[in-house]
Amino acid sequence: MGKKGRVFSGARPTGRQHLGNYLGAIRNYVALQDDYDCVYCVVDLHALTTLADTEYLREHTYEMVLDWLAAGMDPGPTIIFVQSHVPQVTELHTILSMVTPMGWLARLPTFKEKVRQQPDNVNYGLLGYPVLMAADITLYQADVVPVGEDQGPHLEFTREIVRRFNHHFGDTLVEPEMKLTDVPRVLGTDGVNKMSKSLNNHIELATSPEEILERVMTMVTDPARQYRTDPGHPEICNVFHLHQHFSPDAEAIVQIEADCRSAAIGCVEHKQWFARDLADYFAPFRARRAELAADPDHVWEVLADGAVRARVIAAQTLAEVKEKVGLP
Ligand code: TRP
């Protein structure tokens, strides 16, 4: 088929996916399948670093992968698996940790942020998080890693570890290229914070049209627009911003922009329009999801098959790494 190389990405099991996940990750995951051999991983071990939600790991894994499949991730060509099902990653993590200076880890902004967020649980896994991530990426010899901008420092870290490893032990690991998503920051219904489950400012892909409308009606629009007759500023309105991604018709967006500025259209009317387009956009997704969910074993079968295929690549890389390092 002559693909351009291998893509790897991982996502923590967060359950049902929302518009932020869709625009920031899933959409790209699906599109990349055309040009690359793709490997997508549910990073359950990484999820253990923030202990709070581990009782939901199984359910969250199921719901997330169901969304992935319904959105067009194709388990035929694409390897979809759970990180802990391929234990080689923990071995590679240990080996990579030996070429990782402590200072690099402690300096990472993502680590510092976690220390602030969970001061009572600054565990060793949290410090080693980027090493495990580097092991994910290099175990599958990924050429390209699609991530959001928050993962930039982790990717740069991975590249440095690869260079260090290859310098010490000879060319072994592939230095991955980062592929930033084109929608870096999707705001939630509050119009201020990044869309996230924990802030409950999200809209799930699997939501019914009625619930979509309900959620959209709560969205914060241009705060300067207090009255129906006030002119709006679409460039700072999150409804307008999101609508651009889900409208079937680019001209409608141009019209809405003009009508918002001239107050020809009100926020309520625009929200109803957006909710309709959003519900329509995800109608095939909802149908496909229901179809897949009819067989509750399906997701687990996909993941079991993915793990078998992932292990083949993992075993190969790890054997080479061990030989280069000189392990007897
Ligand atoms: N750290 C990533 C995140 O929080 C998840 C992740 C783990 C990942 N391993 C990865 C992403 C490997 C890309 C490649 O989103």
Side-chain angles (χ1 to χ4, degrees):
M1 248 191 299
K3 298 259 169 138
K4 288 194 221 157
R6 186 177 288 140
V7 158
F8 180 96
S9 197
R12 277 169 295 174
T14 51
R16 289 182 169 219
Q17 301 291 284
H18 54 63
L19 297 181
N21 303 129
Y22 181 76
L23 293 175
I26 299 173
R27 201 175 55 158
N28 297 309
Y29 290 175
V30 171
L32 286 164
Q33 295 178 120
D34 292 342
D35 295 329
Y36 293 88
D37 294 314
C38 295
V39 182
Y40 296 127
C41 179
V42 181
V43 293
D44 56 344
L45 294 171
H46 276 111
L48 294 180
T49 58
T50 51
L51 278 171
D53 46 23
T54 59
E55 57 180 306
Y56 301 115
L57 279 180
R58 204 183 146 79
E59 185 194 325
H60 280 178
T61 298
Y62 178 84
E63 295 287 338
M64 183 166 85
V65 174
L66 193 57
D67 279 349
W68 281 0
L69 296 174
M73 208 182 268
D74 181 356
T78 296
I79 297 178
I80 309 168
F81 75 106
V82 174
Q83 188 182 33
S84 69
H85 292 176
V86 184
Q88 282 89 349
V89 76
T90 60
E91 259 184 286
L92 184 57
H93 163 267
T94 300
I95 294 171
L96 292 183
S97 75
M98 311 306 172
V99 292
T100 304
M102 288 273 287
W104 289 11
L105 293 174
R107 267 199 302 276
L108 279 164
T110 40
F111 175 67
K112 291 189 199 160
E113 193 189 324
K114 283 290 175 218
V115 171
R116 272 197 302 277
Q117 283 171 358
Q118 48 181 65
D120 299 330
N121 184 19
V122 183
N123 58 73
Y124 170 70
L126 217 45
L127 187 71
Y129 186 111
V131 187
L132 184 57
M133 186 163 156
D136 279 332
I137 295 167
T138 54
L139 189 60
Y140 301 99
Q141 301 282 33
D143 303 291
V144 176
V145 180
V147 285
E149 60 184 354
D150 62 316
Q151 295 299 310
H154 284 162
L155 248 291
E156 207 33 65
F157 170 86
T158 298
R159 290 163 59 89
E160 283 180 65
I161 291 297
V162 166
R163 288 196 288 267
R164 238 172 122 91
F165 184 97
N166 288 345
H167 179 76
H168 274 291
F169 301 113
D171 251 353
T172 314
L173 303 174
V174 173
E175 189 174 328
E177 224 177 274
M178 167 161 74
K179 188 173 166 44
L180 273 184
T181 60
D182 42 356
V183 181
R185 207 168 128 86
V186 177
L187 299 181
T189 50
D190 54 24
V192 180
N193 298 296
K194 189 172 154 179
M195 188 175 283
S196 89
K197 256 192 153 156
S198 53
L199 293 173
N200 195 26
N201 65 359
H202 63 305
I203 298 174
E204 291 175 353
L205 311 185
T207 305
S208 68
E210 297 74 34
E211 287 169 298
I212 288 178
L213 180 62
E214 229 171 86
R215 283 256 151 175
V216 168
M217 291 319 284
T218 70
M219 284 180 75
V220 174
T221 55
D222 173 8
R225 207 176 173 195
Q226 302 225 8
Y227 299 98
R228 169 67 183 77
T229 48
D230 290 340
H233 304 84
E235 67 279 3
I236 59 158
C237 174
N238 196 30
V239 177
F240 179 74
H241 177 70
L242 282 179
H243 199 167
Q244 300 179 42
H245 297 288
F246 301 106
S247 169
D249 171 3
E251 272 167 42
I253 295 297
V254 175
Q255 191 62 47
I256 289 166
E257 181 168 14
D259 288 352
C260 173
R261 280 189 209 290
S262 67
I265 186 175
C267 292
V268 170
E269 199 184 330
H270 181 210
K271 283 179 178 178
Q272 287 164 341
W273 189 341
F274 171 51
R276 231 168 20 243
D277 281 348
L278 194 56
D280 288 349
Y281 184 95
F282 285 105
F285 169 90
R286 288 193 301 276
R288 179 91 183 105
R289 196 181 199 276
E291 223 172 87
L292 291 164
D295 176 5
D297 294 333
H298 181 68
V299 163
W300 300 113
E301 284 161 9
V302 164
L303 292 172
D305 173 66
V308 170
R309 290 153 65 194
R311 269 183 232 124
V312 175
I313 307 171
Q316 224 170 7
T317 308
L318 193 62
E320 202 187 328
V321 164
K322 285 178 166 177
E323 195 199 310
K324 289 281 180 56
V325 169
L327 290 169

